[in-house]
Amino acid sequence: MDIRQLKYFLMIAEEGQITSAAKKLQMAQPPLSQQLKLLEEELGVKLVERGPRSIRLTDAGEILRRRAQQIVDLTDSTSREVSDFAKGLKGTLTIGTVSSSGATLLKDRLSEFHKTYTGIKFEIHEGNTFRVIELLQSGVIELGIVRTPFHNAGIGYKYAESEPMIAVMTPELDWSGGRDAIGIDELRERPLVIYRRFEQLIRETCQKSGFEPNLFCKNDDARTTLLWANAGLGIGIIPKSAFELANHSNLIYKEIDSPSLQTRVAAIWIKDRYMSSLARKFLESFSKE
């Protein structure tokens, strides 16, 4: 089993047909079919179920597809890393980000970094915190940009400045009388729309104020929270900088006056692993703390 065979297999899995996969790979169908057969023989399992017009991955095929994608991504990343080392401060910096950090990251850190190092290109992978850490551990990305809280075992990290959580809502749901900030107790019994990773933090903060939060909707993306709030379905709770993701003129926000409801963007990396000069320079510019 080699990288070439894995790339062939991934194309077959993506296309769902050996014929169309062969066209994408610019090769004849029989040699591609032979490579698939050799791969199955080497692994001792059936990777695909062949139908009259398409193929379907078996359970073993699904396992190989996931692993093959990681291996191919890691191979590409390693190739870029070695190439970037030879080029010095030129090349590609691979970063994984969570959606709620995107506005801050792109507006501030990457823009400033790009002005200083104009020869650098970027490759961005997006996902939730768990996905970003998975990509980091597998070597697909060199740095991750996530939000607190996160599990930091084996992970190095550097924080940006702290920022408050805010309550976002339509004007119709605003009870504050025009105030820019609200107390945590004012969220009592109000339908809250939250990013699932903040559930424990929000719940504990509300409990300290003597009430259980009314968690109307839990989701995995700050953008979903904004969409639900924009529809007038509830009060969204998000980091302040994530409000920059909104493109909804009818949304307003109120800072939540609570020392407990603070969050920070963090740049993370795997400890004791080679770090390119590109990544080191980015970390230097990430925070002055």
Side-chain angles (χ1 to χ4, degrees):
M1 181 171 57
D2 57 32
I3 296 297
R4 179 174 54 91
Q5 284 180 312
L6 293 180
K7 288 182 176 180
Y8 287 168
F9 176 73
L10 286 172
M11 184 59 73
I12 292 171
E14 180 181 333
E15 293 296 313
Q17 286 185 331
I18 294 179
T19 302
S20 58
K23 288 181 180 178
K24 284 285 186 71
L25 292 166
Q26 297 183 335
M27 63 186 296
Q29 180 180 336
L32 183 58
S33 297
Q34 179 64 18
Q35 288 296 323
L36 177 59
K37 181 180 178 182
L38 290 173
L39 194 56
E40 289 181 318
E41 290 176 353
E42 179 180 350
L43 295 174
V45 293
K46 195 173 185 179
L47 298 172
V48 301
E49 295 286 354
R50 293 166 174 80
R53 295 185 178 180
S54 64
I55 60 99
R56 181 182 62 82
L57 295 184
T58 63
D59 290 343
E62 286 289 353
I63 292 173
L64 180 62
R65 181 188 63 78
R66 291 195 297 271
R67 291 301 187 188
Q69 190 63 63
Q70 291 177 345
I71 291 169
V72 169
D73 287 344
L74 181 56
T75 301
D76 292 342
S77 177
T78 302
S79 177
R80 288 193 302 269
E81 188 174 285
V82 174
S83 177
D84 290 348
F85 177 78
K87 295 175 182 176
L89 285 177
K90 290 182 181 290
T92 302
L93 180 60
T94 54
I95 300 177
T97 75
V98 296
S99 64
S100 64
S101 73
T104 299
L105 172 67
L106 294 175
K107 179 182 176 183
D108 300 327
R109 271 68 182 184
L110 285 184
S111 296
E112 181 181 343
F113 187 65
H114 179 60
K115 289 177 183 177
T116 305
Y117 303 104
T118 57
I120 293 175
K121 296 180 181 179
F122 301 92
E123 185 174 317
I124 305 297
H125 296 257
E126 294 183 299
N128 60 28
T129 295
F130 303 109
R131 176 60 176 160
V132 170
I133 292 176
E134 179 184 291
L135 290 171
L136 195 64
Q137 292 171 333
S138 64
V140 174
I141 60 175
E142 191 169 11
L143 295 174
I145 307 296
V146 298
R147 277 193 180 276
T148 57
F150 59 88
H151 296 295
N152 58 19
I155 291 178
Y157 52 89
K158 190 172 186 180
Y159 290 126
E161 62 276 6
S162 182
E163 63 176 293
M165 303 284 279
I166 61 172
V168 296
M169 65 202 79
T170 57
E172 292 77 16
L173 294 181
D174 181 15
W175 68 91
S176 68
R179 286 177 288 130
D180 293 329
I182 59 172
I184 186 67
D185 58 307
E186 295 183 61
L187 297 177
R188 188 189 301 264
E189 297 184 0
R190 300 191 187 278
L192 305 182
V193 182
I194 69 167
Y195 181 23
R196 186 172 281 106
R197 286 193 61 252
F198 294 133
E199 178 181 356
Q200 183 177 352
L201 177 62
I202 292 170
R203 189 180 295 277
E204 289 177 353
T205 302
C206 292
Q207 288 171 345
K208 288 178 182 177
S209 292
F211 68 97
E212 285 289 335
N214 175 17
L215 302 182
F216 174 62
C217 173
K218 294 183 286 186
N219 60 73
D220 292 315
D221 197 310
R223 291 168 293 195
T224 302
T225 297
L226 287 165
L227 285 171
W228 279 59
N230 186 65
L233 297 172
I235 311 299
I237 308 298
I238 60 172
K240 186 176 181 179
S241 64
F243 190 72
E244 298 175 31
L245 296 169
N247 190 23
H248 309 293
S249 58
N250 61 323
L251 276 178
I252 60 174
Y253 73 83
K254 309 290 177 180
E255 286 192 16
I256 302 172
D257 185 12
S258 171
S260 300
L261 287 185
Q262 297 281 322
T263 182
R264 289 194 284 183
V265 171
I268 61 175
W269 63 93
I270 299 298
K271 291 180 179 178
D272 303 320
R273 178 184 289 176
Y274 166 80
M275 181 180 292
S276 71
S277 55
L278 301 181
R280 288 195 298 270
K281 288 297 183 182
F282 178 76
L283 286 174
E284 288 175 10
S285 67
F286 182 78
S287 172
K288 297 181 180 179
E289 293 183 11

